[in-house]
């Protein structure tokens, strides 16, 4: 098969398209011919060497995608060759063929495309647990979303709106503000303004928002300032740097809560993966969840896709097409 590989850590230029051995069909797995593979910042971190990689080169990135089952191990039940499936948290996905453990194989409804599945799973399941588990958004809640034009940010806006929340976004530019507004945010503020005071004024009653979803990290204390007494801050990323330590006395004095979030603490079984994925697919099918048109690159042009992702000039999902 052909795959996007690299032998040493570095910039996008280390990636190249090569022919390597097909994956082996092991017990409890299926072999999937990929039709679309999602590109994520974790792939960039692994390519640079920021994340540990097991095994020996050539290394293969990618862990989210969708395709058609070609082979099924004898002990696998309920999946047949020709089935359309999607997967998340499956390594070595930047290839024509991928070995997928059955517990990570998610059946695709007929009305969900491979591009949609590869675009929504990781970011969508993240947004899903954030608004349902970390803090269960209620109708009428005032909800603050950091990095609102990003992939998870746009999905958080839409899921919050579908739950009846008023959504306030935060972005870094006027162009990104328009994207967040198009996603359904009621209002969007820029980071270079006094957004904490503006968020408090925007909130119902002028007491602060009910919940803030913070993926920036360095803004954590500002998020606390923007939420009301007995409000909630959900911290799930550090795109802007490490947060300062939080004083538990402040939490006690204000009755505010801080919740951390990591997807893989919430998606722990095949049943849960399928349940969350189906909830997202249903939102898409009913027109309540809109995905920005992805940027598609041939897998052989993976280095160009990495450059675009690292430039931070893109919005929406980047897909690699074998």
């Amino acid at each position: 098969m052909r795959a996007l590989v690299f032998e040493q850590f570095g910039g996008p230029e280390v990636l190249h398209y090569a022919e390597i051995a097909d994956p082996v069909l092991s017990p409890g797995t299926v072999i999937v011919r990929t039709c679309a593979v999602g590109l994520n910042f974790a792939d960039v971190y692994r390519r640079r060497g920021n994340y540990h990689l097991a095994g020996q080169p050539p290394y293969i990135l990618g862990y989210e995608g969708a395709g058609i089952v070609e082979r099924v191990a004898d002990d696998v039940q309920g999946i047949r060759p020709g089935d359309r499936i999607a997967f998340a948290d499956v390594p070595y996905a930047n290839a024509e063929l991928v070995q997928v453990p059955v517990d990570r194989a998610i059946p695709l409804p007929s009305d969900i495309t491979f591009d949609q599945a590869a675009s929504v799973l990781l970011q969508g399941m993240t947004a899903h647990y954030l608004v349902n588990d970390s803090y269960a958004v209620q109708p009428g809640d005032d909800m603050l979303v950091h990095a609102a034009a990003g992939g998870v940010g746009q999905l958080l806006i839409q899921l919050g709106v579908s739950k009846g929340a008023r959504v306030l976004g935060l972005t870094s530019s006027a162009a990104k503000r328009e994207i967040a507004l198009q996603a359904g945010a009621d209002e969007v503020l820029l980071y270079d303004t006094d957004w904490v005071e503006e968020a408090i004024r925007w909130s119902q009653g002028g007491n602060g928002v009910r919940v803030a979803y913070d993926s920036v990290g360095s803004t954590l204390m500002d998020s606390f300032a923007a939420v009301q007494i007995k409000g909630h801050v959900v911290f799930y990323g550090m795109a802007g740097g490490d947060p300062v330590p939080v004083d538990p006395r402040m939490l006690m004095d204000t009755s505010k809560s801080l919740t951390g979030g990591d997807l893989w603490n919430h998606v722990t079984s095949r049943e849960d993966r399928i349940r969350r994925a189906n909830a997202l697919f249903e939102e898409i099918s009913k027109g309540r969840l809109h995905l920005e048109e992805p940027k598609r690159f041939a897998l052989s042009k993976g280095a160009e896709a990495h450059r675009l992702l690292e430039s931070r000039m893109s919005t929406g999902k980047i897909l690699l097409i074998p």
Side-chain angles (χ1 to χ4, degrees):
M1 69 174 182
R2 304 282 286 179
L4 188 67
V5 302
F6 65 107
E7 282 80 23
Q8 61 187 21
F9 301 119
E13 68 277 359
V14 303
L15 297 169
H16 61 98
Y17 203 46
E19 188 165 323
I20 63 172
D22 290 357
V24 176
L25 181 66
S26 303
T29 70
V30 301
I31 300 298
V32 174
R33 182 164 293 277
T34 53
C35 296
V37 180
L39 179 61
N40 297 281
F41 257 102
D43 297 311
V44 171
Y45 299 146
R46 288 183 172 92
R47 190 206 71 221
R48 291 174 179 169
N50 300 118
Y51 287 179
H52 174 72
L53 290 177
Q56 299 297 318
Y59 297 118
I60 306 175
L61 299 170
Y63 58 109
E64 170 189 40
I68 300 172
V69 176
E70 284 208 347
R71 301 170 59 202
V72 179
D74 292 339
D75 62 338
V76 171
Q77 304 294 319
I79 300 179
R80 297 176 298 179
D83 285 354
R84 303 167 70 250
I85 70 163
F87 56 84
D89 196 28
V90 174
Y92 318 127
N94 282 357
E96 294 176 324
L97 297 172
V98 180
Q99 181 199 73
V100 178
V102 67
D103 66 341
R104 299 181 185 183
I106 299 169
L108 273 189
S110 60
D111 61 342
I112 299 297
T113 68
F114 295 122
D115 281 12
Q116 287 174 322
S119 295
V120 79
L121 275 184
L122 284 173
Q123 294 176 338
M125 288 196 292
T126 297
H128 186 271
Y129 90 76
L130 287 170
V131 300
N132 288 286
D133 300 78
S134 297
Y135 171 77
V137 174
Q138 303 297 314
D141 279 347
D142 288 337
M143 173 177 160
L144 176 66
V145 176
H146 283 266
V152 175
Q154 290 187 51
L155 295 171
L156 276 174
I157 290 170
Q158 295 180 73
L159 293 178
V161 169
S162 72
K163 287 177 170 290
R166 296 173 72 241
V167 182
L168 176 65
L170 286 169
T171 64
S172 58
S173 69
K176 290 184 176 181
R177 179 178 185 272
E178 289 305 312
I179 291 168
L181 288 170
Q182 290 171 16
D186 295 276
E187 178 59 281
V188 180
L189 305 175
L190 300 184
Y191 280 113
D192 61 3
T193 65
D194 188 358
W195 62 263
V196 172
E197 289 302 318
E198 290 189 51
I200 293 171
R201 284 196 294 269
W202 174 86
S203 67
Q204 300 172 91
N207 298 315
V209 300
R210 181 65 174 163
V211 58
Y213 289 98
D214 193 323
S215 59
V216 178
S218 58
T219 55
L220 193 64
M221 297 314 297
D222 288 330
S223 292
F224 272 114
V227 301
Q228 62 191 226
I229 297 297
K230 298 190 292 185
H232 307 269
V233 174
V234 181
F235 167 57
Y236 71 100
M238 296 176 290
D242 290 336
V244 299
V246 176
D247 181 0
R249 175 68 183 268
M250 180 274 292
L251 299 179
M252 182 182 71
D253 291 345
T254 60
S255 297
K256 297 179 182 180
S257 70
L258 171 64
T259 302
D262 182 85
L263 176 61
W264 306 119
N265 293 325
H266 292 267
V267 179
T268 57
S269 68
R270 186 180 188 222
E271 292 72 23
D272 194 57
R273 289 169 190 263
I274 291 175
R275 176 180 66 83
R276 292 186 192 274
N278 283 342
L280 294 167
F281 296 155
E282 183 178 2
E283 292 291 302
I284 293 172
S285 296
K286 291 186 175 179
R288 294 193 295 257
L289 192 62
H290 300 276
L291 304 179
E292 186 177 345
E293 189 69 25
K295 282 74 175 175
R296 303 171 90 248
F297 289 81
L299 183 59
S300 60
K301 304 295 184 182
E304 294 179 24
H306 275 242
R307 289 188 185 97
L308 176 61
L309 183 62
E310 287 184 272
S311 74
R312 297 190 182 271
M313 297 299 290
S314 65
T315 60
K317 193 73 173 183
I318 297 174
L319 298 181
L320 300 175
I321 309 301

